[in-house]
Amino acid sequence: MRFFILLISLLIITCIFYLYELFPLKYIDLIPNSSFDKLLILSIIKVESSFKTNAISNVGAYGLMQVLPSTAEWINNKFNTNYNLKVPKDNILLGITYLEYLYNITKDLQKTISYYNTGPNASDEIVKTAGLNYYNKIMKAYSLYKFLYRSDNYEISNK
């Protein structure tokens, strides 16, 4: 019986250690305070790029937050910024700026995250399928981050 308890304990510890490896706090120091919980931003980075700074998607999205070059250009023009898509901190700032823009027009976290993946002009069908699947992936990662790091923050702050 002791051996069984020891074995189960070892298995649980190993699983928790593995979860910390899969869901690190990598780049958290590059995430500024914003309207969004830093763990939610890390969840997006985890799903989008698995923390690979030079990740490029099959549609040409780049970096940690997988921002399209056209979206980066639009953000820089609209908000009078000069973020460089290929610099990790700037890539994160581009992603957060875009998320805040989307949230300001939707006032809904699920739509904001869905639109981050599909674009705000996607058809309702694409938003319902691909957008919802993406939102669910983000929320699963976010739940694990909150479990591991005991965040008491909300997805959207009360600022």
Side-chain angles (χ1 to χ4, degrees):
M1 183 67 168
R2 286 183 186 171
F3 177 74
F4 181 71
I5 292 172
L6 181 63
L7 187 62
I8 295 295
S9 299
L10 187 58
L11 181 63
I12 290 170
I13 291 168
T14 303
C15 288
I16 290 172
F17 176 76
Y18 187 63
L19 281 174
Y20 278 106
E21 290 294 312
L22 287 174
F23 295 87
L25 292 177
K26 194 172 184 179
Y27 302 113
I28 197 163
D29 57 323
L30 298 181
I31 302 172
N33 291 328
S34 73
S35 301
F36 297 97
D37 182 358
K38 289 183 178 192
L39 296 181
L40 180 64
I41 301 301
L42 284 176
S43 301
I44 292 170
I45 292 170
K46 168 70 177 159
V47 169
E48 287 287 350
S49 66
S50 292
F51 299 97
K52 296 175 186 142
T53 58
N54 296 324
I56 301 174
S57 75
N58 58 354
V59 295
Y62 190 85
L64 294 168
M65 297 283 287
Q66 290 293 281
V67 179
L68 287 168
S70 59
T71 304
E73 182 179 352
W74 179 83
I75 290 167
N76 280 327
N77 289 332
K78 178 158 182 71
F79 297 100
N80 198 27
T81 56
N82 192 28
Y83 298 135
N84 183 336
L85 184 64
K86 296 188 177 186
V87 173
K89 182 174 183 164
D90 286 1
N91 191 277
I92 290 170
L93 292 171
L94 283 163
I96 291 170
T97 301
Y98 190 49
L99 281 166
E100 287 176 339
Y101 167 78
L102 292 171
Y103 186 76
N104 285 332
I105 62 173
T106 66
K107 303 295 186 214
D108 180 271
L109 185 65
Q110 182 176 338
K111 282 184 183 176
T112 296
I113 291 174
S114 294
Y115 286 171
Y116 188 83
N117 178 253
T118 65
N121 298 319
S123 71
D124 289 342
E125 186 61 34
I126 289 174
V127 173
K128 284 181 185 176
T129 56
L132 185 58
N133 287 339
Y134 178 77
Y135 172 79
N136 288 334
K137 284 181 190 177
I138 298 297
M139 288 298 107
K140 285 177 188 173
Y142 185 52
S143 293
L144 280 167
Y145 265 109
K146 289 194 317 184
F147 168 75
L148 291 170
Y149 299 103
R150 310 285 193 260
S151 173
D152 292 327
N153 295 334
Y154 300 101
E155 297 91 3
I156 303 292
S157 72
N158 294 323
K159 292 182 183 178

